[in-house]
Structures are given as structure tokens and as C-alpha cells.
Amino acid sequence: MTQPMARAAAPIHEQIYTRFRSMIEQGQLSPGQKVSSLRALATELGVARGTVQVAYDRLLGEGYLVARGPAGTFVSEHTAPARPAHAKKAPVAARPFARPSAPETIVDMEGGNPAPLQMGLPALDEFPRKVWARLMTRQARKVGSLNKPPPAGYMPLREALAAYLHRSRGIDAHAAQVFIVPAYTASLALIVDALGLARESAWIEHPCYPPTAQTLKRMGLRICNVPVDEHGIDVGFGRKRFKNARLAVVTPSHQSPTGVALPLQRRVELLDWADAHDAWIVEDDYDGEYRYRGHPLPALKSMDACGRVIYCGTLSKVLFPGLRLSYVVVAPNLVPQFELACRRTVHGGCPELMQAVVADFIAEGHFSRHIKRMRTLYARRRAMLAEALAPYAADGFVVHLQDGGMHLLVDVREDLDDVALASRACDAGFAVRALTTWRNGSHGRRGLLMGFTNISSQAQAQRLVTELFRAFDLRAR
């Protein structure tokens, strides 16, 4: 029998990554040039979109590519070719990538039904559609809801969010301090613009959510990787190694992706550093509502006596991803410059109709009830996935249950390549991510990130895990 090409050569995602990097470094792809979309390249190569996603994530994380939302993905403007500038440009259509020998399942990462174990998605099957439809119908009858929203956001929504954050996260802010933006990356862009931080240095957690580094690099900041240990970001390391940084982006309630919570001592150290160095802290509280032991931790912003913390929250991960609605909370003295920056960068954000519906959803108590119900549901679904994974601990796949979050981190034994495992999972239709890609490919702890929010039964969890480990094909090693 002929040996499959995928076993004889490097993994497909590695070939894609290596080829793109070479083409960029050799000047075959120019700075600013648009590259193929995930769907187009996957179709062209006959591979799963998830396989291309793994390669693109690594290229984005290392700064070779930049994502510009609906406009597409481009070669970074800051990437210089390794060859002399006068060298003749080679054609793009050079040596093709090796193709796998069998058809692959395409993972739907951009819409439709969620792929199995996909991260960052709420429980779509439990969203209160009837309530939402009623509120939507009511708002659609109002002429004002069809207008373009103010640059800083729809005022009733800003008021509703300010009241909710005061109750649930301990943040004392007026509506004028809340700014509505279309997404987390837009939040970072707004903050950098409003505070004039372009070309400054920024601490980011290592590992961290890949779009954080991508967005800051695109905005012209220098990235400083500060390691995360069992207590979160190592503030002492950052102070010693990167003394001139003016920004720190952190996930203190539930570190992304390791899941650890930043303890009180380090929170105080971080606030002291910002105050002493005229620096700013971005608190990304992407899933702070979901804590399964004890009460949700208070936000870092609630401890901020000097106005150095910029709080970022999202409704897309709590309600549904198509909403594309996030928000930023700033100190009172920063309101004027953020209002000016909104006019420059946000351009209206989420449609006013959707903002109005969310405002009603929060003001009428549906939001708080939904959060409470999802907290109970996610605790149960989290336990289902953990139980299904438990027998594989003997094979070196160990689940570390943290107190909160919407995904599990599964440690992988040292002799296995987590990126390769994630690629095989994607080829089989799973949306599992490798921890290594969240460290920009650097060496360190290996693991797999798995979402549990859309698992509906213990039987489904068992079936998915069985199919996942079949896709890993550990006996083939």
C-alpha cells in the first residue's frame, strides 16, 4: 500500500506556514499585499479550513501577516524582505504545497453551526430567542432605532451597561464613561488611538489571546512578552525586563488561555506599576461572569483609585457572536479624548437597532437571568467534557479544572506535538486549538484548548472525545 503523503512529509499546516514565511522573507509577497482567505486557500489546496487556520494563526502571531477584519488578511507592512531591495520579484505561484491523500472535513470557523469543541462561543442552543425576537420587533417599530448610532454608542445602552457593571463587577462608572465598539480588537485600537500609545511598548501575557498581539503590532506598538505562571502575569518580570513599557493588556479574572486568576497581591503590584510609570492597564474581562466556585471575582477596575485601568468587556461571547458588540470603560478625565477618538476610529460601530435591543435586554433583567442560567449550565457542560477526558489522563492528557471560563486546557505530554494534534483534529472537523500557537510558536508548556459550552449531553461528550482521540491516531507515532 502506498504510504499517505501526509505521513511522509511535514504536516500540511507546517508546509503552509513555512511556504508563506519564505515567500514573505524573499519578497515574493510584498508588504501590504493581500493573501488568500481561509476558505479560498483551503479550497485551492484541498485541505480543511482549520488546517489553513493553524498556519495563519502562527503567521499572524509572529507578525508576518495582519488581519484587517472584513477587508481580509495582508502581509505586514513592518515585514522587511531578507533579500536586497533591488532583487527581481519572483512570481507568487511557485512550488505547490503537498496535498493530503484523502478528502478532509472542512471546519466551519466563520459561521453556521459551531464546530465541535469550538472555543469562544456561548451556548447557542440555549439563547432566549423568543425574548430577543419580541424585543427586536418592538424596537424595529421605532424610527429612531433605524438611525446610525452616535460614535460613542447608544446612550440607553451605555446607561444600562454602567448600571450592570456596578452591580455585577463592582465598577463605579457613569454612562458617559462607557463606549460602545464593534469588537475587542476595535477596543484596543480605540485605546491606543485615544491615549496616543503608538510606537510605545506594551506588556502582553505569554501565552495570550493571539489577536491581542496582532492588533497592537498593527497599531505600531512594540510587544513585550511577560510570562504567565500559576498566579497569572509575572509583574516582577515585566518591571525588571521591560521598564519603559506604557501599556499592559491582561485577563485577570480568567487568564486567556491558562485559566488562572490574578491574586490580590499581583493586582496591587500591577496597579502600583501603572501609577509609578504613567502607564495604562487594559483589563480584558472577556468571560468574567462565568465562575463555578464561589462568586465572580471583582474586576481589577474596581480597585483602580488612580484611573489607570481601561476596562474591556464583550457581549458577543455572552449572547451570540453575530452581535459584534463590545464596550470600553474609562476614567472620567479620559472621556473627552475617547470621544474624539471614537469619531476617528469607530465610525458608529454596531447598528443602533441592535444596541437598542441589548439595552432593553439588560434593563428588563433578561441579561442577568441569562448569565445566571448559563453559569449553571456551563458548570454542568464543563463537568461533562472533563469526565469524558478523564480516562486519557493515563496517556498524558491531563485536564486542569480552573474556577471559571468557557474552555478547558488539557495538558499534553512532552513527547507529543500539540500543534500537530490540533491540526489532525481540525482535519477531522474539530475546532481544537494548540497552546503553542498562543505563544507565537515558542517553546514551553504544551496543551490543547477545547470549548465545552455547546456540549448538550454526557453521551455527546463521550462520543466527541472518542472521535477526537481517534483523529489524534497516537498509535501512528
Side-chain angles (χ1 to χ4, degrees):
M1 178 180 289
T2 304
Q3 186 78 354
M5 188 176 298
R7 300 279 176 82
I12 303 300
H13 68 84
E14 183 72 25
Q15 296 181 45
I16 296 172
Y17 162 78
T18 301
R19 185 61 179 152
F20 266 91
R21 187 183 68 180
S22 175
M23 292 168 73
I24 292 170
E25 291 178 344
Q26 298 303 318
Q28 296 173 352
L29 289 173
S30 305
Q33 182 176 342
K34 186 175 182 179
V35 300
S36 300
S37 68
L38 295 177
R39 184 187 300 273
L41 187 57
T43 301
E44 178 184 345
L45 300 179
V47 300
R49 198 184 319 171
T51 300
V52 180
Q53 178 83 55
V54 171
Y56 271 27
D57 282 350
R58 186 171 174 186
L59 291 161
L60 288 162
E62 295 181 9
Y64 287 99
L65 300 179
V66 293
R68 295 176 183 165
T73 303
F74 298 78
V75 178
S76 172
E77 298 282 359
H78 304 290
T79 302
R83 59 176 192 159
H86 63 271
K88 187 175 180 180
K89 189 174 180 179
V92 172
R95 173 174 58 88
F97 302 107
R99 295 174 177 263
S101 59
E104 301 184 0
T105 302
I106 294 179
V107 178
D108 187 357
M109 304 292 286
E110 298 178 358
N113 295 324
L117 307 183
Q118 188 166 341
M119 294 175 58
L121 288 180
L124 300 180
D125 60 325
E126 292 293 331
F127 181 72
R129 289 176 173 82
K130 290 183 179 180
V131 172
W132 186 266
R134 176 170 55 81
L135 299 177
M136 176 76 80
T137 300
R138 187 174 70 192
Q139 282 295 339
R141 294 192 182 105
K142 300 179 181 181
V143 175
S145 295
L146 305 181
N147 291 329
K148 180 179 179 180
Y154 180 62
M155 183 52 74
L157 175 57
R158 299 168 74 186
E159 292 170 346
L161 283 169
Y164 167 74
L165 292 171
H166 180 74
R167 295 191 308 269
S168 66
R169 311 297 289 129
I171 297 174
D172 186 13
H174 296 291
Q177 297 168 241
V178 180
F179 295 86
I180 308 301
V181 290
Y184 167 65
T185 52
S187 301
L188 290 180
L190 174 64
I191 293 165
V192 171
D193 183 31
L195 300 179
L197 295 174
R199 293 180 296 279
E200 296 285 356
S201 296
W203 293 1
I204 65 169
E205 298 167 323
H206 193 236
C208 80
Y209 181 50
T212 298
Q214 298 161 14
T215 302
L216 295 178
K217 286 180 181 178
R218 188 169 70 247
M219 297 294 293
L221 280 80
R222 294 183 291 275
I223 300 303
C224 306
N225 291 319
V226 179
V228 169
D229 59 21
E230 66 273 17
H231 302 297
I233 189 170
D234 188 341
V235 179
F237 180 96
R239 296 189 75 150
K240 291 178 183 177
R241 183 69 65 88
F242 307 114
K243 298 180 180 180
N244 298 322
R246 295 284 316 287
L247 180 69
V249 183
V250 295
T251 50
S253 294
H254 180 243
Q255 199 277 326
S256 178
T258 65
V260 299
L262 197 66
L264 178 61
Q265 180 180 349
R266 287 207 179 167
R267 292 180 180 228
V268 172
E269 290 176 3
L270 189 60
L271 291 168
D272 288 346
W273 163 79
D275 188 34
H277 290 79
D278 189 28
W280 305 95
I281 301 167
V282 172
E283 178 180 12
D284 176 13
D285 198 24
Y286 66 104
D287 63 359
E289 292 89 354
Y290 298 124
R291 188 172 175 85
Y292 311 115
R293 286 183 287 200
H295 296 288
L297 297 174
L300 181 65
K301 178 68 176 172
S302 68
M303 301 173 57
D304 179 27
C306 299
R308 310 308 301 186
V309 177
I310 314 295
Y311 180 89
C312 294
T314 177
L315 295 169
S316 301
K317 282 185 170 60
V318 178
L319 296 178
F320 57 93
L323 185 61
R324 305 301 295 161
L325 200 157
S326 298
Y327 53 92
V328 175
V329 183
V330 305
N333 63 305
L334 297 177
V335 168
Q337 61 204 78
F338 270 79
E339 288 178 340
L340 288 173
C342 275
R343 297 190 185 101
R344 291 194 298 264
T345 61
V346 176
H347 306 298
C350 184
E352 183 159 313
L353 174 61
M354 300 300 284
Q355 294 191 42
V357 175
V358 175
D360 287 349
F361 193 78
I362 296 173
E364 295 181 10
H366 305 297
F367 187 70
S368 294
R369 287 191 292 272
H370 181 64
I371 292 292
K372 183 178 180 180
R373 194 164 66 90
M374 290 303 100
R375 193 179 294 133
T376 301
L377 177 71
Y378 290 169
R380 188 163 62 248
R381 294 185 172 185
R382 170 176 172 264
M384 289 175 185
L385 182 57
E387 182 179 335
L389 288 165
Y392 296 92
D395 296 324
F397 294 84
V398 180
V399 178
H400 292 281
L401 283 180
Q402 300 297 342
D403 291 341
M406 298 169 65
H407 71 268
L408 293 181
L409 173 57
V410 182
D411 279 347
V412 173
R413 67 176 191 256
E414 286 299 316
D415 64 316
L416 295 176
D417 181 348
D418 59 345
V419 176
L421 292 175
S423 179
R424 293 176 192 170
C426 286
D427 290 347
F430 291 89
V432 172
R433 297 298 183 90
L435 181 60
T436 296
T437 62
W438 291 49
R439 284 197 316 273
N440 298 330
S442 63
H443 295 292
R445 178 182 178 185
R446 300 181 181 186
L448 296 170
L449 304 168
M450 305 180 189
F452 55 76
T453 53
N454 284 281
I455 292 175
S456 58
S457 68
Q458 188 63 57
Q460 183 193 27
Q462 297 286 356
R463 176 178 58 79
L464 290 175
V465 169
T466 299
E467 293 175 357
L468 177 66
F469 277 83
R470 187 180 299 126
F472 288 161
D473 194 15
L474 300 180
R475 294 172 300 177
R477 288 177 44 77

